[in-house]
Amino acid sequence: MASVVIVGTQWGDEGKGKIVDLLTADADVIVRFQGGNNAGHTIVFDQKKFILHLIPSGIFHPEKKCLIGNGVVVDPEVLLGEIDNLERQGISVRPGHLYISERAHLIMPYHKAIDHGREAKKGKTKIGTTGRGIGPCYEDKIARRGIKVGDLLDDKLFRDKLAEILEEKNFYITQYLGGEALSFDEIYDAYRRMGERLAPYVTNVSLELEKARQARAKILFEGAQGTQLDIDHGTYPFVTSSNTVAGGACHGAGVGPTTIDFVLGICKAYTTRVGGGPFPTELFDEIGQYMREKGGEYGSTTGRPRRCGWLDGVVLKEAVRLNGLSALAITKLDVLTGLDPLKVCVAYELDGTRVETIPGSIRAVERLKPIYEELPGWQEDISGVTRFEDLPENCRAYLAYIEKLAGVPVEIVSVGPARHQTIVLKNPFASL
Ligand code: GDP
Ligand code: IMO
Ligand code: MG
């Protein structure tokens, strides 16, 4: 038995989808444990590109089992659309290959209406959410008024819950947000129809994982978003509404902490952020523009241009601590080719004082000024390099520097979007 958790170490979009797809070759079961279709995970192979929002990135390996855990919030329309889209392209997503937790909460039309309405009302102070209803859905889960995937299979329960909740939601939408009331009949009919289609996929994911463990299966947990978007540990309130850190894999999939063997942190060789909130190493100059264009830094979910900046070593060290990282995968190293010198933030200045951790107050985070160390860059195109020793010397030095800064080994290096553009120094499943 072996369980590996994959998490983003920054503000999301680190290349988690690519690495999950790659490591799926050595896994048997792949499970999403938090977030929803705010995620956009890109997978590239055989000159084809896929972006997944809800289905685990293991789905392209037909013999593997993909699970959507209880900690995920599921928009059934998006999920069915994703299933249909993959099936149309010849990727099998039949029940047996994909399962969904009966305990996962459903994103309802009112969650999306509230997400949009609130952001519009906030104006300049908005979070810059993906508008997918993620926050409002998690709110209802915690407030104990959510509707779960399993509820769709019980007609009376679903009808009663929806009637009770919709009354409250329509009051909020019309009276507070100034929006239009939603129709009970339309939601009821649409969700019942979708429930019928989803029924064969619904299961107890925790039990599936237990069975897999007993069969000595290798399990890969696929995180969404990144450590700095964690609801507890991120740059609150500019975060998402779930626990993105590795601990979330346990409660979001229904396994205990003693079952996790390895945590792999995915770290972009520089930093990006989509949406609002502080970002100490953000670049507003031509270097930031270079990273955006060369790295194709436009959101996989919303298409928004991603904010770009230098690698932040403080953010990285926070990720090592908060996730208990075993190792790092450094992605998009090829994007740094041609930049010289390279800068890495090693600490911040806060009101004249040097700080080496991220303060709890958002106002203080907004005032942080990065303190950089410089490293020499390289000019060679590395996107075709398949052996570590063939990387330019300065490139290897950059990786060694990151490793020293983080205090954990760099075991995977990604030099392009495709599966084969990866240098695997050590496969996390190999030692387990
Ligand atoms: P995720 O949300 O963490 O799965 O990441 P996204 O898919 O949102 O964003 C990562 C983007 O970078 C995608 O377009 C990937 O195809 C691409 N990508 C991943 N790894 C590399 C890499 O090593 N080099 C380059 N140039 N692109 C990469
Ligand atoms: P992946 O899995 C990058 C950001 C949004 C916004 C904040 C809250 O592809 O790395 P939400 O809709 O979750 O309430 O938005 O979080 N965000 C992401 N940024 N990658 C993601 O996912 C994200 N998911 C949410 O832009 O700032
Ligand atoms: Mg993404």
Side-chain angles (χ1 to χ4, degrees):
M1 78 196 151
S3 290
V4 174
V5 177
I6 287 193
V7 289
T9 59
Q10 296 155 317
W11 278 279
D13 303 327
E14 296 91 349
K16 298 175 293 293
K18 171 187 164 158
I19 303 297
V20 169
D21 167 68
L22 182 87
L23 294 182
T24 293
D26 301 291
D28 303 294
V29 180
I30 303 86
V31 51
R32 276 273 312 262
F33 55 88
Q34 48 70 232
N37 60 308
N38 47 352
H41 295 181
T42 314
I43 294 103
V44 179
F45 60 92
D46 298 344
Q47 272 110 45
K48 280 184 294 209
K49 173 174 159 172
F50 298 89
I51 299 178
L52 296 173
H53 301 288
L54 268 171
I55 295 177
S57 300
I59 201 72
F60 302 102
H61 297 250
E63 67 286 13
K64 316 287 166 144
K65 202 179 265 188
C66 289
L67 309 176
I68 296 178
N70 58 279
V72 176
V73 286
V74 176
D75 184 328
E77 200 180 334
V78 173
L79 180 58
L80 287 168
E82 200 158 310
I83 291 172
D84 289 344
N85 191 25
L86 288 171
E87 291 270 354
R88 264 198 303 276
Q89 297 180 76
I91 314 291
S92 161
V93 197
R94 61 185 196 286
H97 187 195
L98 175 73
Y99 285 110
I100 308 157
S101 168
E102 59 196 358
R103 287 154 207 252
H105 279 245
L106 286 170
I107 296 185
M108 305 296 292
Y110 45 79
H111 292 135
K112 290 180 262 190
I114 292 172
D115 198 354
H116 283 287
R118 278 203 196 131
E119 287 279 277
K121 203 175 161 85
K122 270 178 160 271
K124 267 189 159 165
T125 59
K126 70 178 181 183
I127 290 167
T129 71
T130 59
R132 303 299 194 259
I134 306 295
C137 181
Y138 277 117
E139 278 171 41
D140 279 352
K141 171 177 174 172
I142 301 300
R144 295 169 293 188
R145 58 175 176 237
I147 303 181
K148 298 197 267 184
V149 167
D151 298 343
L152 277 180
L153 312 185
D154 180 334
D155 190 43
K156 179 154 182 353
L157 179 66
F158 179 65
R159 179 182 273 280
D160 291 348
K161 281 181 102 167
L162 180 62
E164 189 184 330
I165 293 162
L166 194 60
E167 190 187 346
E168 187 182 328
K169 296 297 174 190
N170 273 340
F171 179 80
Y172 184 77
I173 291 168
T174 56
Q175 302 301 305
Y176 183 68
L177 296 174
E180 298 269 326
L182 301 173
S183 148
F184 174 88
D185 288 340
E186 274 175 30
I187 300 177
Y188 176 77
D189 290 343
Y191 273 67
R192 285 292 299 152
R193 270 198 311 275
M194 292 190 286
E196 276 166 28
R197 277 201 64 197
L198 287 177
Y201 292 95
V202 179
T203 193
N204 180 328
V205 163
S206 172
L207 278 181
E208 287 294 327
L209 288 172
E210 178 61 15
K211 273 191 268 172
R213 265 169 40 76
Q214 281 176 3
R216 308 191 78 76
K218 294 193 164 113
I219 303 169
L220 191 55
F221 293 83
E222 176 178 2
Q225 289 82 52
T227 304
Q228 288 304 321
L229 289 171
D230 183 276
I231 186 73
D232 286 292
H233 304 289
T235 47
Y236 189 93
F238 299 98
V239 291
T240 192
S241 296
S242 64
N243 282 113
T244 60
V245 293
C250 293
H251 61 80
V255 299
T258 51
T259 67
I260 306 294
D261 302 291
F262 197 97
V263 183
L264 180 67
I266 314 298
C267 176
K268 217 176 260 194
Y270 51 99
T271 312
T272 62
R273 173 163 208 175
V274 208
F279 175 3
T281 63
E282 183 167 14
L283 292 168
F284 300 94
D285 58 7
E286 66 284 0
I287 297 177
Q289 188 61 23
Y290 180 92
M291 291 168 172
R292 186 171 310 109
E293 294 314 318
K294 189 144 185 250
E297 297 295 357
Y298 293 88
S300 322
T301 298
T302 56
R304 291 176 288 180
R306 294 176 182 153
R307 301 156 63 191
C308 298
W310 293 118
L311 182 68
D312 189 330
V314 182
V315 162
L316 181 56
K317 282 198 279 189
E318 294 270 325
V320 172
R321 186 182 81 244
L322 292 165
N323 297 292
L325 295 186
S326 317
L328 284 169
I330 302 296
T331 59
K332 307 195 81 158
L333 195 59
D334 54 303
V335 176
L336 294 184
T337 290
L339 291 176
D340 196 5
L342 300 171
K343 293 187 187 181
V344 177
C345 169
V346 291
Y348 308 117
E349 187 203 304
L350 175 64
D351 306 331
T353 306
R354 184 184 167 102
V355 293
E356 298 196 358
T357 55
I358 300 181
S361 151
I362 194 70
R363 292 285 167 261
V365 181
E366 283 162 353
R367 295 201 302 280
L368 295 174
K369 302 264 183 300
I371 299 173
Y372 289 116
E373 281 183 5
E374 288 190 2
L375 287 96
W378 60 91
Q379 302 299 324
E380 297 89 334
D381 176 9
I382 58 168
S383 62
V385 174
T386 52
R387 298 186 320 167
F388 185 79
E389 49 280 22
D390 294 338
L391 289 170
E393 194 183 336
N394 287 349
C395 184
R396 280 182 281 140
Y398 186 68
L399 292 171
Y401 181 88
I402 294 175
E403 204 167 65
K404 190 152 180 257
L405 190 70
V408 291
V410 171
E411 297 189 347
I412 296 179
V413 180
S414 173
V415 293
R419 262 182 204 164
H420 67 272
Q421 292 175 296
T422 325
I423 303 167
V424 180
L425 296 165
K426 203 165 164 198
N427 185 315
F429 285 114
S431 54
L432 303 175

